[in-house]
Amino acid sequence: MTKKLDPITLDLIENALLNARFEMDSVVTRVALSPVIREQHDEFPMICNPAGQMVVGQFGSYIPEIVEQYKNNINEGDIFVWNDPYACKGSISHNNDWCVMMPIFHEGHHVGYSSIFGHMVDTGGKVPGSMPADAYTIWEEGLRVPPVKIYEDGKLNEGVLQIMLNNSRTPDMNRADLMALIAGCRTAAKRVQEICDRFGRDSYLTACDELMSRTREAMRVLISKYIPEEPVTFTDYVDDDGVGNGPFKLHLSIYKKGEVAVIDWTGTDDQAEGPINFHIHEGLCKLFFGVYMIMAFDPKIMFNEGFYDLFEIILPEGSLLNPKFPAALSNRLNTHTRFFDCQAGALGQQAPHLSMAAGYGTSPHFIFTGTDENGKYFQLMELLFGGVPGRPRDDGLDGHAWWPLFSATPIEYIENYYPVIVERYRPVQDAGGAGLHRGGAGIEKVYRVLASGSISIHDDREVVPPWGINGGLHGGTSSKWVVRAGKDEPERIPSKTDSVKVEPGDRIIFITAGSGGWGDPLERPVEKVLKDVRDGLVSRQKAECDYGVLIGEDLTVDENGTEALRKSQRKERGEPAPFDFGFIPGVHEAAE
């Protein structure tokens, strides 16, 4: 094997791999049928080395578990599929994620793996969409498939495919989406083979090793610089579990032991009765922390699994982050994204100038099902977005996704394929927490249904606000409403609910949470506050009480009054607090 590559060759192979990874995305979204993958891009690809370690991609960690199960029975022409979180040690975290893995060979030699998982619209279970808000076990959440060969020696296993499709309410969409994932993996395999042809197989494998080593060294520097030897801790909460319990605590401690960063979740609440448990794989936990540190502290670093030995993970068994089978998992994103908020809160204490506040807190989704005027079953599922937090460089993003490549479903697509009219889609005023850099606003989306059916809604941060940091204030919370046809008064509905009956003309008002602000709002330039007011993102009242800026009805600033007000507010407030959590019912009441 080549001992060391010259920098130019390494750079060429790195960029060829990155291009192949993005080509996987393009192929999947062009072949898929469901709006969740085709329009919103809820799929995550990666390319791995022969040991199953991610070299490029978004989610790693799971290949070695599958290889261990099949040992020497992995051959050219095989493609694997699975969706059971417990059968792959939490590498995928609920039944809706179907994962495909393909070994890559070059001239008969094994050189790696390609893999993608994507969210299927429906995999069976007790409710349409397969994510029941009131599930107590994973048995209620749809079909569970352990790792099996969907292709063996290049031949499709029709029996496996039919079993998977027969248990879905949307078999046509699932089939198209599964074949899209397979096509993405095949695309990556072809590109890796071409790289091996161009540069030589040994050079390719050496490049994979060097890319991993380079990332490891960069992470070692970040850990040395930003992780302290004395533990820093942070606590945040999930509203509820969908079956009447909550709030639920996530508690994180981070410290350094030699060169290794210890990530300790001891103190996190026990697993929930309802489906908010997040069965996270230890390797995936390492990846999340590594990615966060790279993006916050040095975005030039290419993230891969090269740094895994620099992290030690403690996930107490039976906790919200390491539940025991058969705990329900379908709505684990409420906990998953709070995991990210805890990361930001803990790591931000060591580098406040590089930290960010808390965001909208989950992956809100809206499901509408029924039978249209032609007697055909339909199932609309849409992921919604909220406020992305204020950050060191600028304001947070309004109505944006946590995941970088996600996008909103075009309204034209929804209205063309489903009996729904989207009447309103706009940012929520005053939802972004005040700060030197304002938190991103949540969104208000109003659906008017044109057919009888039922809806499911899953969201969070209705009770626990997204906190602000470095003097920034907390952001606005979420809420959900139904306005029945012919009536004016809206009915409040829970943030986690299923099987709400609707009739033609009913409107659903879906309001997502905002995010926390970053930095002292009294330091925000007056002209930026004025622009936010003119754009409808901040009210005149909030401009006065949170930012100390007096704006008249004619939308002009009273400069002298503003200067005096800000001086008075600084004196009355004193030094800004490092965090602003707002009021958390069930937590602050208990503390009092």
Side-chain angles (χ1 to χ4, degrees):
M1 183 174 290
T2 305
K3 289 185 178 180
K4 190 171 179 62
L5 293 180
D6 64 90
I8 294 176
T9 300
L10 181 62
D11 190 53
L12 289 171
I13 292 176
E14 175 188 5
N15 283 282
L17 281 170
L18 289 169
N19 287 337
R21 170 254 184 274
F22 285 111
E23 189 179 358
M24 293 171 78
D25 283 320
S26 297
V27 169
V28 169
T29 56
R30 291 173 72 177
V31 176
L33 186 59
S34 76
V36 178
I37 292 181
R38 183 179 184 87
E39 300 293 335
Q40 300 208 269
H41 307 167
D42 191 350
E43 46 82 25
F44 299 89
M46 68 175 182
I47 300 172
C48 302
N49 66 11
Q53 298 169 295
M54 184 185 76
V55 181
V56 295
Q58 289 173 278
F59 281 79
S61 80
Y62 52 80
I63 301 297
E65 274 63 44
I66 311 306
V67 173
E68 175 64 22
Q69 293 181 45
Y70 276 83
K71 300 188 185 299
N72 296 322
N73 189 21
I74 298 178
N75 306 300
E76 193 164 3
D78 292 348
I79 300 178
F80 296 78
V81 66
W82 67 92
N83 79 323
D84 183 355
Y86 289 106
C88 61
K89 300 183 180 179
S91 55
I92 53 170
S93 49
H94 71 163
N95 293 355
N96 289 79
D97 288 334
W98 284 11
C99 192
V100 171
M101 181 194 84
M102 177 180 179
I104 303 173
F105 290 82
H106 178 257
E107 297 177 349
H109 295 269
H110 180 222
V111 294
Y113 298 90
S114 58
S115 184
I116 312 178
F117 70 85
H119 183 107
M120 297 293 149
V121 171
D122 189 281
T123 60
K126 63 187 286 188
V127 298
S130 312
M131 293 178 287
D134 61 350
Y136 287 89
T137 70
I138 198 169
W139 302 112
E140 302 166 74
E141 298 174 339
L143 179 70
R144 295 165 48 232
V145 178
V148 295
K149 292 184 180 182
I150 187 74
Y151 280 83
E152 186 166 10
D153 294 329
K155 183 179 180 181
L156 175 65
N157 188 330
E158 291 281 359
V160 169
L161 179 62
Q162 291 307 315
I163 288 171
M164 296 178 75
L165 299 181
N166 193 56
N167 282 273
S168 171
R169 298 172 180 85
T170 57
D172 292 342
M173 281 190 177
N174 284 31
R175 182 188 180 100
D177 289 0
L178 176 60
M179 293 304 159
L181 300 180
I182 291 170
C185 287
R186 286 175 168 162
T187 299
K190 183 174 178 59
R191 297 296 174 253
V192 168
Q193 291 160 354
E194 291 171 350
I195 296 171
C196 291
D197 288 340
R198 178 181 178 188
F199 297 99
R201 184 168 56 249
D202 287 351
S203 292
Y204 171 74
L205 294 172
T206 298
C208 290
D209 291 341
E210 291 191 16
L211 291 172
M212 302 273 282
S213 297
R214 189 179 66 184
T215 297
R216 184 190 186 280
E217 176 58 23
M219 183 59 66
R220 188 187 64 78
V221 172
L222 293 184
I223 289 172
S224 174
K225 189 173 182 179
Y226 294 112
I227 304 296
E229 292 185 354
E230 291 297 317
V232 291
T233 64
F234 195 81
T235 300
D236 206 347
Y237 297 85
V238 181
D239 284 357
D240 65 277
D241 65 351
V243 296
N245 307 303
F248 287 85
K249 177 176 67 175
L250 271 73
H251 182 77
L252 172 63
S253 299
I254 302 177
Y255 59 93
K256 183 169 56 185
K257 189 168 61 177
E259 285 190 340
V260 175
V262 179
I263 311 300
D264 186 355
W265 291 97
T266 300
T268 294
D269 278 348
D270 292 342
Q271 65 191 64
E273 285 188 282
I276 63 165
N277 301 292
F278 183 25
H279 182 43
I280 186 171
H281 184 281
E282 182 179 306
L284 194 57
C285 188
K286 293 177 179 181
L287 182 70
F288 286 152
F289 272 90
V291 170
Y292 182 91
M293 291 181 66
I294 287 170
M295 300 309 294
F297 303 142
D298 191 354
K300 298 187 297 296
I301 299 171
M302 174 183 178
F303 62 85
N304 54 42
E305 293 189 31
F307 54 75
Y308 274 21
D309 67 320
L310 295 175
F311 286 91
E312 177 185 337
I313 307 297
I314 300 173
L315 294 166
E317 187 177 7
S319 71
L320 205 59
L321 294 172
N322 189 10
K324 297 178 182 178
F325 179 84
L329 307 174
S330 57
N331 290 304
R332 85 285 184 229
L333 271 170
N334 300 288
T335 303
H336 188 173
T337 46
R338 204 66 76 257
F339 176 107
F340 294 153
D341 289 335
C342 285
Q343 283 182 294
L347 293 170
Q349 295 175 49
Q350 289 303 113
H353 60 296
L354 296 173
S355 61
M356 68 178 186
Y360 63 100
T362 183
S363 188
H365 62 266
F366 171 75
I367 298 173
F368 173 41
T369 62
T371 303
D372 65 19
E373 59 184 10
N374 299 315
K376 184 179 179 181
Y377 176 78
F378 65 84
Q379 186 178 134
L380 166 65
M381 177 184 169
E382 182 179 19
L383 304 174
L384 284 87
F385 310 135
V388 172
R391 52 212 165 118
R393 292 187 177 182
D394 208 342
D395 295 344
L397 303 174
D398 304 317
H400 203 277
W402 267 117
W403 311 107
L405 298 181
F406 276 23
S407 59
T409 307
I411 291 172
E412 296 84 354
Y413 182 99
I414 294 173
E415 295 182 345
N416 190 46
Y417 288 102
Y418 299 97
V420 174
I421 297 292
V422 178
E423 292 190 340
R424 192 158 61 241
Y425 185 47
R426 65 183 183 186
V428 177
Q429 189 177 68
D430 295 332
L436 171 64
H437 301 308
R438 175 181 54 78
I443 58 101
E444 177 193 31
K445 196 161 193 174
V446 179
Y447 304 87
R448 177 160 55 89
V449 302
L450 305 179
S452 300
S454 65
I455 62 168
S456 293
I457 284 177
H458 298 178
D459 199 1
D460 204 72
R461 286 218 182 274
E462 182 181 56
V463 174
V464 181
W467 42 266
I469 196 170
N470 299 335
L473 303 185
H474 66 274
T477 53
S478 65
S479 61
K480 312 292 175 287
W481 310 80
V482 172
V483 182
R484 300 295 179 182
K487 296 186 178 180
D488 295 324
E489 290 299 316
E491 306 169 16
R492 185 83 178 248
I493 57 177
S495 66
K496 301 174 182 65
T497 187
D498 288 309
S499 305
V500 177
K501 299 299 181 184
V502 290
E503 298 296 334
D506 289 352
R507 290 183 296 145
I508 298 90
I509 303 172
F510 199 128
I511 297 174
T512 64
S515 60
W518 191 99
D520 187 350
L522 298 181
E523 298 296 327
R524 184 169 176 83
V526 170
E527 60 271 18
K528 287 192 173 183
V529 179
L530 178 61
K531 184 178 187 305
D532 283 344
V533 171
R534 288 177 171 173
D535 289 345
L537 294 170
V538 175
S539 66
R540 290 170 52 225
Q541 294 76 16
K542 280 285 188 180
E544 178 178 345
C545 67
D546 288 353
Y547 292 99
V549 177
L550 293 172
I551 299 175
E553 292 184 7
D554 60 351
L555 299 184
T556 60
V557 175
D558 177 351
E559 295 183 3
N560 292 331
T562 293
E563 183 178 352
L565 179 59
R566 283 189 155 185
K567 183 177 180 180
S568 170
Q569 287 181 338
R570 285 190 186 96
K571 183 177 180 180
E572 181 179 345
R573 180 199 64 192
E575 284 298 312
F579 294 97
D580 173 41
F581 293 95
F583 179 77
I584 306 175
V587 174
H588 292 151
E589 292 165 332
E592 292 170 2

